[in-house]
């Protein structure tokens, strides 16, 4: 059998000891064969990707033509011809870019468009989950998007802000740049202005920073020019209201009392592979992971001292956890929505857990009762999550004046795919930037 | 932000993650050159990604990512070779080093081109042959199942698979040549 075919059988683990030794000898001598080996390994990697993609989409049954091996020569000729066409510059249709993603600061996206800085953006939707991103339109207009926001790129001269806030900077050549919102639109006459879309209130607020813009009301046809003194306008279902900038920096008159209790450093994580914990478990993080095999599971636990809280008065209890970005594994291996469960420890034998305890010593879901669940999209790397449930409040009331332990686990596992799945990380009290777990107790 | 002291890198976690995901196919193909099975490749990648994150401070900018990541991954792979050798017939360390040297020069674009060529070339196989080509990745026993379904021996099917893959590689190779010319 020839060497090239032996390479594939080697990659499939099907070569005998003698055959392996023979292949080794040939590879040592023949650089061309080594090239073939590298290509074969890359082909193997590609095949595996294809296998996984197809397994993930059962609907996409391979639509093979029935050409079998004896048509091989025609195929190669066709391939060569296609290559020549490409070389001649006849490139397949591609949507024209309307903008470039100029920069992003701590941006987390959920988007069908590329989201690496420098990427060219074709018409489509961008959904910024967190952070700030700057988009430069080919017309010269620059739009700074603030999360959470949804933006549709329409043309080099037009964008739609569906939710969130943006600041638009329009240099001379892009005069006439249009920003549409669900409630109205603004035409920019060479200026800088800001837009904020409030989806709940169904209104959009346009604020002029400098220059001149025209704000249109779609149903009444009303047009308002903002320049000089008139610097902000709110567009809603009925009308455009000119606003005074000073008064609108509203404060939120919340009269309720919220007390926040931290864990005071009492947090811990455990992983089933205890022998690897020195590598994967860090004091600053609460790590949570669930895998199909269970081999790489992580769970976290933390306690709150309730002796200072008057739970009799409290009518709402919320557990707040801060998600921090994780580089352990790949989000692509996770389902689009990941569900997490919070349990209250009831097994008193586990109440004295140590921060660095082994898996079997650590409190788990079986040692307690479910208090609530929350979900995190796989695209999200940061944010505040948690639960606010009756069960949590009841559990806290039942343990008044005591120290309670809560257990955090991921209930969802991974999906079929390449590479290790993501481990979710939440900040512990030792985290340098984000705040550790907090209990927020609200009383009248 | 990270769990390490090194904060000199200008890359954020998000940027690192994006780079890693973008270059993952290339890294995976590279590791596959050295390691004899996919389990070992997955382990190497997982461990290497932790090391990369810890040493991110060494990386000057994102253009240098792939070569830098390959150096870390290569080291991780070679350290896993000894363990793999216990349950597999493997190429010698000398040959593996040679292969790693040559595979290190492969660029990110090359891997994208290979994947494109592969998608195209696969359509030239019959549905049955495509199924066989993808069977080794569907878990143990899938090839055996297919062989039994056809009343053939598993061994004969692996030989057929070897030939189909060789043909596929040839097609990919000629596609790549056509792209260059």
């Amino acid at each position: 059998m020839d060497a090239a075919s032996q390479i594939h059988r080697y990659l499939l683990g099907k070569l005998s000891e003698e055959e392996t030794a023979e292949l080794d000898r040939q590879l040592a001598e023949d650089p061309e064969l080594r090239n073939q080996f590298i290509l074969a390994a890359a082909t193997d990697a590609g095949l595996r990707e294809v296998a996984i993609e197809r397994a993930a989409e059962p609907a996409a049954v391979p639509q093979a033509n029935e050409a079998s091996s004896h048509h091989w020569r025609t195929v190669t000729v066709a391939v060569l011809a296609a290559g020549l066409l490409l070389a001649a510059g006849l490139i397949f249709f591609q949507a024209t870019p309307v903008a470039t993603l100029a920069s992003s600061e701590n941006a987390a996206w959920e988007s069908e468009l590329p989201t690496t800085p420098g990427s060219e953006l074709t018409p489509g939707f961008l959904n910024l989950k967190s952070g700030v991103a700057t988009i430069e339109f080919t017309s010269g207009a620059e739009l700074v998007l603030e999360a959470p926001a949804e933006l549709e790129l329409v043309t080099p001269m037009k964008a739609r802000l569906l939710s969130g806030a943006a600041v638009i900077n329009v240099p001379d050549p892009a005069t006439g740049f249009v920003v549409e919102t669900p409630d109205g639109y603004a035409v920019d006459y060479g200026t800088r202005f800001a837009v904020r879309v409030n989806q709940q209130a169904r209104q959009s607020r346009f604020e002029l920073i400098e220059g001149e813009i025209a704000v249109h009301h779609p149903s009444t046809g009303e047009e308002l020019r903002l320049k000089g003194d008139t610097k902000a306008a709110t567009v809603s279902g009925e009308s455009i209201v000119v606003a005074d900038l000073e008064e609108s920096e509203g404060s939120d008159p919340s009269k309720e009392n919220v007390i926040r209790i931290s864990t005071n450093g009492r947090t811990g994580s455990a992983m089933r592979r205890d022998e690897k914990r020195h590598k994967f478990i860090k004091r600053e993080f609460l790590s949570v992971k669930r895998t199909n095999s269970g081999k790489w599971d992580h769970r976290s636990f933390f306690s709150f001292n309730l002796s200072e809280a008057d739970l009799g008065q409290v009518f709402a209890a919320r557990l707040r956890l801060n998600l921090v970005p994780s580089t352990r594994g790949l989000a692509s291996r996770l389902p689009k929505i990941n569900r997490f469960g919070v349990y209250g420890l009831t097994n008193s034998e586990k109440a004295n857990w140590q921060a660095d305890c082994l898996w079997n010593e650590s409190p788990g879901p079986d040692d307690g009762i479910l208090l609530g669940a929350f979900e995190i999209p796989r695209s999200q790397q940061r944010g505040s999550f948690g639960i606010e449930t009756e069960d949590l409040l009841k559990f806290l009331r039942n343990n008044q004046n005591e120290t309670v332990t809560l257990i955090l686990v991921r209930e969802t596992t991974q999906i079929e795919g390449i590479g290790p799945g993501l481990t979710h990380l939440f900040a512990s009290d030792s985290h340098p930037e984000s705040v550790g777990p907090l209990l927020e107790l609200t009383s009248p | 932000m990270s769990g390490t002291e090194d904060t000199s890198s200008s890359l954020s976690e998000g940027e690192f993650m994006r780079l890693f995901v973008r270059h993952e196919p290339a890294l995976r193909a590279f590791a596959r050159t050295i390691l004899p099975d996919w389990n070992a490749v997955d382990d190497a990648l997982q461990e290497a990604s932790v090391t990369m994150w810890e040493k991110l401070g060494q990386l000057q900018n994102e253009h240098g990512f792939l070569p830098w990541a390959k150096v870390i991954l290569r080291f991780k792979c070679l350290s896993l070779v000894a363990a793999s050798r216990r349950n597999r017939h493997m190429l010698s360390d000398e040959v593996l080093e040679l292969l790693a040297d040559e595979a290190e020069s492969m660029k990110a674009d090359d891997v994208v081109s290979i994947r494109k060529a592969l998608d195209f070339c696969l359509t030239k196989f019959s549905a049955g042959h495509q199924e066989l080509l993808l069977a080794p990745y569907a878990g143990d026993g899938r090839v055996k199942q297919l062989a039994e379904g056809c009343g053939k021996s598993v061994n004969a099917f692996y030989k057929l698979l070897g030939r189909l893959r060789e043909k596929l590689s040839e097609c990919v190779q000629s596609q790549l040549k056509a792209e260059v010319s």
Side-chain angles (χ1 to χ4, degrees), chain A residues 36-296:
Chain A
Q36 283 189 31
F37 187 100
I38 290 162
L39 187 66
T43 306
D44 189 51
L47 270 176
R48 190 184 186 228
E49 281 176 26
V50 174
I52 287 163
E53 286 164 14
R54 287 198 186 166
E57 296 166 39
V61 176
Q63 289 297 319
N65 59 32
E66 284 309 307
S68 59
S69 44
H70 57 269
H71 287 132
W72 197 255
R73 184 162 304 176
T74 31
V75 171
T76 316
V77 173
V79 165
L80 280 166
L84 290 173
L85 284 181
L86 279 174
L90 298 171
I91 294 171
F92 296 106
F93 170 77
Q94 249 188 333
T96 336
V98 296
T100 308
L101 184 59
S103 75
S104 64
E105 298 149 50
N106 289 320
W109 298 93
E110 194 171 298
S111 161
E112 60 197 8
L113 297 173
T115 53
T116 356
S119 300
E120 294 199 318
L121 304 171
T122 51
F125 290 90
L126 286 167
N127 191 346
L128 184 64
K129 290 292 194 184
S130 66
V132 173
T134 306
I135 295 151
E136 269 171 19
F137 288 82
T138 51
S139 58
E142 181 193 85
L143 186 148
V144 181
L145 193 61
E146 292 175 28
E150 281 172 274
L151 182 77
E152 184 186 354
L153 308 177
V154 188
T155 69
M157 287 295 281
K158 186 172 180 177
R160 283 194 191 107
L161 184 68
L162 305 170
S163 68
V167 173
I168 296 101
N169 195 356
V170 177
D172 275 349
T175 297
F177 185 82
V178 176
V179 178
E180 286 189 3
T181 72
D183 314 291
Y185 65 91
V187 181
D188 193 310
Y189 295 105
T191 52
R192 244 151 42 102
F193 71 105
V195 194
R196 182 177 292 277
V197 176
N198 184 335
Q199 269 185 321
Q200 266 102 40
R202 297 185 173 216
Q203 58 181 36
S204 305
R205 185 184 164 81
F206 296 86
E207 272 178 29
L208 185 67
I209 299 168
E210 58 179 270
E212 179 180 356
I213 60 172
V215 177
H216 294 258
H217 193 281
S219 53
T220 64
E222 205 178 332
E223 181 187 305
L224 181 77
R225 290 250 170 174
L226 293 185
K227 61 178 169 184
D229 303 336
T230 320
K231 286 197 169 163
T234 302
V235 185
S236 64
E238 297 79 38
S239 59
I240 302 178
V241 179
V242 176
D244 179 349
L245 272 179
E246 306 301 315
E247 75 171 22
S248 55
E249 301 291 319
S251 63
D252 187 10
S254 167
K255 290 196 186 73
E256 287 156 351
N257 290 313
V258 179
I259 64 159
R260 295 188 173 83
I261 306 176
S262 81
T263 63
N264 249 323
R266 245 319 260 147
T267 63
S269 296
M271 69 185 287
R272 205 185 290 271
R273 287 197 152 175
D274 290 315
E275 72 279 10
K276 300 256 184 187
R277 64 168 290 135
H278 63 282
K279 217 168 156 177
F280 291 99
I281 291 190
K282 298 272 188 285
R283 200 71 194 96
E284 323 58 317
F285 304 120
L286 301 172
S287 50
V288 203
K289 180 176 193 171
R290 190 191 193 92
T291 57
N292 294 319
S293 66
K295 257 184 2 183
W296 290 95

